[in-house]
Amino acid sequence: MKSTGIVRKLDELGRITLPIEIRRNFDIKEKDALEIYVDNEQIILKKYQPADIFTGNMDDLIDYYGKKVSKQSIVEMAKIAGLNVD
């Protein structure tokens, strides 16, 4: 892990501000969603990117009742269901 040397304090509501340099490097814009992960004693922020709920694939996504599903997963499920798809 690479240290940036940047230290920020939490405000009274538990918020921090990400420095503009980091936001630019990771193409994080106002209103972008970030995922929060915990690994032992580390808090990790990652720019959220929707992915297939079954495989994690991020290509050819379709929104189905608020969930992301890839076309590949849909074809595989159709085959499992006995439908003839090519």
Side-chain angles (χ1 to χ4, degrees):
M1 187 176 331
K2 183 178 173 184
S3 174
T4 64
I6 300 170
V7 176
R8 294 283 195 241
K9 291 186 179 185
L10 291 177
D11 72 7
E12 54 279 344
L13 295 176
R15 299 176 295 198
I16 61 168
T17 303
L18 294 177
I20 190 71
E21 301 86 15
I22 292 176
R23 287 183 278 146
R24 284 180 182 151
N25 286 341
F26 289 92
D27 193 32
I28 298 171
K29 296 180 178 47
E30 188 176 313
K31 305 286 184 183
D32 280 352
L34 299 176
E35 288 185 273
I36 302 169
Y37 296 90
V38 177
D39 183 22
N40 294 320
E41 294 186 15
Q42 297 178 347
I43 300 169
I44 301 165
L45 299 176
K46 180 180 175 189
K47 186 174 177 179
Y48 174 72
Q49 295 193 345
D52 184 312
I53 60 170
F54 300 108
T55 65
N57 186 351
M58 293 191 284
D59 299 325
D60 294 323
L61 296 178
I62 295 173
D63 191 65
Y64 183 73
Y65 289 100
K67 306 290 183 189
K68 301 294 183 191
V69 183
S70 69
K71 290 181 181 179
Q72 179 183 353
S73 289
I74 293 169
V75 169
E76 290 175 14
M77 287 187 284
K79 288 178 182 178
I80 291 169
L83 301 175
N84 189 10
V85 289
D86 289 317

